[in-house]
Amino acid sequence: MSRHLDIDVAIVGGGLVGSSAALALRNMGFSVALLDKGFCGAQASGVNYGGVRRQGRPREQLPLSQRAHAVWPRLKELIGIDGEFLRSGHLKLARSEDDMAVLEAYAAEVADQGLGLELIGHNGLRERFPWIDGSILGASLCAGDGHANPRLVSAGFASAARRAGVHVLENTPVTGIARNGEGFALEAGEGVSLKARIVINSAGAWADRFAADFGEPVPLSRIYPSMIVTEPLPSVMTVNIGMEGGGIYARQVERGNCVVGGERGLPLEDPDFSRPRGEGALAIMNRTAEVFPALRHAQAIRFWSGTEASMPDRNPVIGFSGTTPGLIHAFGFTGAGFQIAPGVGEVLAELARDGRTSTPIEAFSIARFSQPSGPAGQDRISHGSDARSQSEPQSRGAHS
Amino acid sequence: MSARPQPLIVGAGPAGIRAAEAFVAAGLRPLVVDEAPACGGQIYRQRLVQDGRSTKDLYGSEAGKAERLHAAFAALDGRVDYWPQALLWNLRDGMADVAVTGTTRRVAYDGLVLATGATDRVLPILGWTLPGVFTLGGSQIALKAQGCAIGSRVVFAGSGPLLYLVAWQYMKAGVEVAAVLDTAPASVKLNLFKALPLDAGIVLRGMRFAAELRLRGVAIRTGIEGLRIEGEGRVSGIAWREGGRKRRLACDGVGYGLALRSETQLADLAGCAFRFNERDRAWLPIRDAAGRASVPGVYLAGDGAGIAGADAAERAGERAALALLEDRGVAFDKERAMALEAELARIGRLRDVLEAAFPFPAHWAAAIDDATTLCRCEEITAGAVREAANRFDIGEINRLKAVSRVGMGRCQGRMCAAASAEVLAAATGKPIDAVGRLRAQAPVKPIPLALQLAADLPEVAE
Ligand SMILES: Cc1cc2nc3c(=O)[nH]c(=O)nc-3n(C[C@H](O)[C@H](O)[C@H](O)COP(=O)(O)OP(=O)(O)OC[C@H]3O[C@@H](n4cnc5c(N)ncnc54)[C@H](O)[C@@H]3O)c2cc1C
Ligand SMILES: Cc1cc2nc3c(=O)[nH]c(=O)nc-3n(C[C@H](O)[C@H](O)[C@H](O)COP(=O)(O)OP(=O)(O)OC[C@H]3O[C@@H](n4cnc5c(N)ncnc54)[C@H](O)[C@@H]3O)c2cc1C
């Protein structure tokens, strides 16, 4: 079946980044095609843990994260469903004095960013969150953060985009993009060709290929965060839980299931798919039983994992290509792109329309990888306990 | 401890037992794991406590086979490792995770025989979640393993050979059977005559069940439609349509089922390729005539790889074990292997005929009332599934799961996936194979969070 589209913007990748950009662009009046090699929202955006969290992000992400923060409570009017978004608060736990010191330092560092962080000592924690094990020393609460259902939100943005008139082409892998006169020529799926003025590369863990095609290789690697979920339980966890230094992150959904993450899975033979490791899942389960005594006798009913792009400095690539006019990159969210994606979508739409955006994104320029890495590149890398990257980072910049 | 890991057999039913026997005969020492407390699988399941019933009481015409099979496994004592009450919950690349006696063990295996059997297949009907409604297999297990009936006045409804068998077993056990409601029209039973030359014994036995039920005054109704179970808080009756007329019957127990579905999760976790099977209306792991899966070292036997019954399971288990021996270069009886394959082919033809005589009422899926619970773990109705499919423009079962939670609960779709696929196919006007199959995830059944990894690795045999 051959099909040709002549449009303003072609978006490669129907994750939450691509589909929120598609909706924003369509609402500005552009003609848009959203292409996904599988189903929109079936990769990282649809299978993630569901943490909607600003707390713990590198400082340079916070303006963008704040922008997204304003979108989340408007989901119902934007896409027709609330996506089970719950402003429950995000509580980051400290197991030791050192962890607590990191939380305190972070609170001081971002004090001017409007997160409203509240540091809680041991007694306060026992009083307000008695369902957390007494061995936990203290915590930092971000009351405005929360969680949502990624399966609904990501599919919801794509179907809202479709209803708004975006050409949503699923099961249509983009196989080639070439500069063509003023714009781009794209080849996709079986016999689909497009002409577009602007291309957005939001292909998630697969985006490096397109960047490299335009002479911009990036040090993107893949990670496979691993989740377990319990059977539905009576309400226990009233906030979204994170942990300084990694270990576990946990939330309880409306239906009663507790979703817990904290380890990494392994890719399958087809590396687009992955699976939790048995030992990893067991480790998450055991840790959960320790930190939440009420869950000690609960049953785990399912594990899963997803494929996500990771960048060495834990910041994404967002912005115009350095080599190719009309090409915009947005990928590499390093385990923490769910919360921020609706803000990224708005920013991408502004870039496409105006060539610039009101939100600071300089730190995310792809150019940082094309320069020889000097000290300037280095200082974005270390944030508190980021170095402990194997046990999933509730430390700055990833997950929850 | 030998360096070489053992072959691992999952399932101590007819297929698993015969596979174990063949390994032992060739000098191997397999590890057999089974969730059940005793060997026998579904059909030759043993009672939980000795209760005075004889083997004949329990297994009827199949008592001889049951005794032989139990004895065969007992005779392997000391030459196999056998873990009963052991759930194999995860599988990958030569390693299995097995929960046994409150801990979990990591087991390295060399060669894997999956003999995981089947469970009942259902299409939900109004009232099917009321207390007092059981699947046909569940009704039989209650009788066989626990020695209790699901009610005092029971109706059996649905399709498949188990329908008449279980009704007859209940009648024999002294329970009042109010009726047998067969979804298939009487005319299709004529297909059974085609099965006579393939296996007269089975066909005649089935006919005898029906005849004896009639003789004892049990009403047998065929071609029934619009089945619904009535009751407030528990079953009080069952209603249906028959030749355009509405009928209803009071009862306090219902056994309902539409034949069986293969338990394929472990094959999926093992990485086996699947293909859609028209006859079973299911995605089944691909295997060759000997039982080799698409993944080297993985072998499939019994109902878990396609519904074929207990006699086929015994033969397929043995054949699969011989295939493993052959692949390892161990001497094996080639003639025996050929004979087993010929037998399996004959039984396969018999299944085709039986399937035609007990057809699956696929057309029911479109008529399932919106208010009917489809996924009972997650409490999702057929209407909610249709709504979700429509809202998100979905025509694929994993996507449907993602947006509707169907198949996301404790049973991981074992009970509802087949029905969900039927409902989705009907709602989108697609053929059933086009909606795909649910990808399996570990753990295949729920396991406790506090499950501790056993420190000691099990002894590996010489
Ligand atoms: C298990 C897990 C847990 C996580 N938990 C959280 C969390 O709690 N909070 C949080 O903020 N973040 C979390 N994340 C990270 C977050 O999910 C991701 O950062 C975010 O979803 C990335 O969105 P995306 O649109 O860039 O990528 P994706 O959702 O992966 O979308 C990229 C899309 O591009 C498509 N594509 C690829 N190649 C092509 C091609 N050639 N042609 C067409 N399409 C193509 C893919 O099919 C895919 O759908 C988690 C991630 C995972 C995997
Ligand atoms: C409830 C029920 C009742 C039946 N009754 C009859 C009948 O009366 N007559 C008849 O002809 N046929 C009957 N059948 C069909 C019959 O089960 C099969 O034809 C026959 O038992 C198939 O043998 P098998 O070895 O393939 O599987 P099964 O006998 O089903 O044995 C499979 C074994 O694998 C074990 N197992 C599965 N997964 C795991 C796991 N993850 N971890 C550990 N152990 C596992 C199970 O506990 C089970 O013991 C029945 C089927 C069911 C489901």
Side-chain angles (χ1 to χ4, degrees), chain A residues 259-390:
Chain A
V259 183
V260 193
E263 290 272 332
R264 286 189 184 163
L266 294 168
L268 294 176
E269 217 159 276
D270 173 354
D272 286 9
F273 294 95
S274 59
R275 195 179 305 144
R277 294 171 307 123
E279 316 89 286
L282 208 59
I284 303 176
M285 286 160 52
N286 290 172
R287 267 177 235 154
T288 308
E290 279 162 27
V291 180
F292 310 109
L295 267 56
R296 222 157 264 167
H297 300 289
Q299 306 266 323
I301 63 172
R302 195 172 64 247
F303 311 156
W304 79 91
S305 63
T307 308
E308 160 75 326
S310 176
M311 305 307 287
D313 62 2
R314 302 197 150 271
N315 269 330
V317 171
I318 304 172
F320 280 105
S321 154
T323 62
T324 314
L327 176 64
I328 307 174
H329 297 296
F331 60 82
F333 291 89
T334 317
F338 182 57
Q339 186 276 342
I340 214 167
V344 177
E346 289 188 356
V347 162
L348 294 173
E350 280 179 9
L351 289 176
R353 185 186 59 191
D354 309 330
R356 49 181 296 279
T357 169
S358 52
T359 305
I361 54 165
E362 295 72 32
F364 315 131
S365 165
I366 196 165
R368 71 188 193 272
F369 298 115
S370 55
Q371 290 152 6
S373 63
Q378 287 296 311
D379 63 45
R380 277 189 217 101
I381 295 180
S382 75
H383 268 284
S385 42
D386 272 0
R388 283 180 257 171
S389 59
Q390 249 311 321

Side-chain angles (χ1 to χ4, degrees), chain A residues 39-40 81 151-152 159 162 231 255 257 267 275 278-279 282 285-286 295-296 298-303, chain B residues 91-92 106 269 377-379 391-392 399 402-403 405 408 410 412 441-443 446-449 451:
Chain A
F39 293 104
C40 289
I81 52 169
R151 297 176 278 110
L152 299 180
S159 29
R162 178 186 280 121
E231 61 193 331
R255 163 98 183 119
N257 311 73
R275 195 179 305 144
E279 316 89 286
L282 208 59
M285 286 160 52
N286 290 172
L295 267 56
R296 222 157 264 167
Q299 306 266 323
I301 63 172
R302 195 172 64 247
F303 311 156
Chain B
L91 201 59
R92 174 113 201 245
R106 307 222 70 210
L269 290 183
C377 299
E378 291 297 309
E379 300 169 321
R391 166 185 287 277
F392 293 99
R399 299 301 296 145
V403 300
R405 304 190 74 95
M408 219 179 237
R410 288 184 181 88
Q412 292 238 0
Q441 297 278 9
I447 49 172
L449 288 188
L451 197 62

